[in-house]
Amino acid sequence: MTTPHQSGKKTSHGHHSGQGHAGHGHRGGHGHSHQGGDGHGHSHAPDVNDKNARAVAIAGLLILSFMFAELIGGYLSGSLALMADALHMVTDAASLGLAWWAFQQTKKPPTASLSYGRHRLPVLIAFANAIFLLIVTGWICVEAVGRFITPEKVLAGPMMVIAIIGLLVNIAAFFVLRQGGDDSLNIRSAILHVLGDLLGSVAAIAAAAVIAVTGWYPIDPILSVFVALLIVRSAIAILRQSGHIRLEGTPEEIDCREIIDDLTVKIPDLLEIHHVHIWALAEGRLNATLHARVRSADDVPRITAAIREELSSSHGIGHATIECEIEEAVSADA
């Protein structure tokens, strides 16, 4: 922004709180306009509610109920595919439990120490879930290499029975989570865990069939690695998305230059928009801070209201902090 000495103009600053002081402009300070008392934009936020929490709770109980049976069955049959799937189920049950807890926490109101509430907690859980998933797939691959070099005998019959039951349980959990909605990053990470289990069960069934027909035991670790690699890419995608939110990066769907151009074209007497920062408090809950240069203090209430409305209606930004910079021509006798 040009300085008074550079432009031949003086710049003063107007206060506008947006909380009942719309008509007051004061020189000599910075004015901040805040939209939304709770800090959350709701127009484009995912539906994080009891439906989400109920879905992860039911899926978690389904996974937990079968986890022990599969772990014991994998140990008795000697199948790495079953034991890997069972271990994956351990992380799934823990992840779904954490996801349910995170959804419950978002219902709590903001506090003095958590002024934005706990809406970012599901993103943190999704980030942790993705890391757990990568660790588990790494363990599966390392264990599979040893099993491939030194194949171990696998009992195809018990392996087949356990794998089929596991497949049915995972299918049920998958559809329960889909009914809970897949617009939440936390739900998507939970679905990814269950999908990994589902693919693990399919691989175990295929391995059991091959072993029963041919007696070729290396198929068990080979299919275990195949399933692990299938879910690594999706896990990395969840990790990147949740990490981007935690770093308060500009959402991928947001173009700051486009928003600046949109505001300056649509709002009369808005001279300039700069120092624009846009980030996601949580999924779909967009925040923004920006500086707006206007001609006079009288323009502050109208222009800040217009900026807030345009940000909310056209760009899904539900909470904005606007600092108005008032520029007036130097009087003739200055």
Side-chain angles (χ1 to χ4, degrees):
M1 188 183 74
T2 56
T3 66
H5 299 289
Q6 292 170 325
S7 65
K9 297 180 181 181
K10 68 177 182 178
T11 301
S12 62
H13 305 283
H15 290 293
H16 177 63
S17 69
Q19 305 293 333
H21 303 289
H24 301 283
H26 305 285
R27 297 183 187 182
H30 291 282
H32 301 282
S33 172
H34 301 277
Q35 177 190 5
D38 61 356
H40 313 307
H42 300 284
S43 56
H44 293 268
D47 187 21
V48 177
N49 52 26
D50 289 337
K51 184 179 180 182
N52 299 127
R54 186 167 55 251
V56 295
I58 294 173
L61 290 173
L62 284 171
I63 296 294
L64 191 63
S65 66
F66 183 70
M67 178 186 69
F68 295 105
E70 187 171 43
L71 189 61
I72 294 171
Y75 176 77
L76 294 178
S77 66
S79 169
L80 175 63
L82 280 184
M83 292 184 68
D85 194 40
L87 183 60
H88 191 187
M89 279 189 163
V90 173
T91 64
D92 286 351
S95 298
L96 290 169
L98 287 171
W100 176 85
W101 176 74
F103 284 136
Q104 300 305 313
Q105 292 297 306
T106 60
K107 300 175 184 178
K108 295 183 178 180
T111 65
S113 60
L114 294 172
S115 58
Y116 280 108
R118 296 165 174 81
H119 290 280
R120 185 167 281 184
L121 193 55
V123 177
L124 176 61
I125 297 301
F127 184 83
N129 279 345
I131 292 177
F132 293 157
L133 198 59
L134 291 175
I135 292 173
V136 169
T137 55
W139 176 85
I140 292 172
C141 291
V142 170
E143 187 69 16
V145 171
R147 285 290 189 98
F148 185 79
I149 296 174
T150 309
E152 296 184 14
K153 184 177 180 180
V154 177
L155 301 178
M159 178 181 176
M160 177 70 76
V161 172
I162 295 293
I164 291 175
I165 297 174
L167 177 63
L168 297 176
V169 170
N170 284 311
I171 289 174
F174 177 79
F175 280 108
V176 166
L177 287 172
R178 287 298 298 270
Q179 291 298 315
D182 58 2
D183 54 350
S184 162
L185 190 62
N186 209 13
I187 288 286
R188 294 207 306 274
S189 68
I191 288 176
L192 179 58
H193 274 276
V194 172
L195 185 59
D197 278 336
L198 194 152
L199 291 174
S201 296
V202 171
I205 292 172
V210 171
I211 292 170
V213 173
T214 67
W216 193 55
Y217 297 128
I219 189 63
D220 182 50
I222 288 174
L223 288 182
S224 298
V225 171
F226 176 72
V227 171
L229 294 179
L230 283 178
I231 59 180
V232 164
R233 182 179 178 182
S234 297
I236 291 175
I238 295 291
L239 194 65
R240 292 182 61 185
Q241 292 170 31
S242 55
H244 191 71
I245 293 175
R246 285 185 47 75
L247 290 172
E248 297 188 348
T250 303
E252 293 181 0
E253 69 274 14
I254 295 294
D255 185 337
C256 288
R257 185 71 257 173
E258 180 182 331
I259 291 177
I260 292 172
D261 293 342
D262 182 52
L263 293 174
T264 52
V265 167
K266 291 183 178 179
I267 300 175
D269 300 320
L270 175 59
L271 302 180
E272 182 188 6
I273 291 287
H274 56 277
H275 291 315
V276 177
H277 301 278
I278 301 173
W279 71 99
L281 175 67
E283 287 183 281
R285 298 178 180 273
L286 302 183
N287 285 10
T289 63
L290 58 87
H291 288 203
R293 188 160 63 90
V294 300
R295 295 186 187 280
S296 70
D298 293 337
D299 293 331
V300 171
R302 173 179 57 83
I303 290 178
T304 54
I307 291 173
R308 291 197 302 269
E309 173 60 28
E310 184 63 25
L311 288 176
S312 178
S313 62
S314 298
H315 304 286
I317 298 173
H319 180 80
T321 300
I322 303 166
E323 180 172 324
C324 285
E325 302 170 351
I326 304 166
E327 184 171 296
E328 298 176 328
V330 178
S331 60
D333 57 351

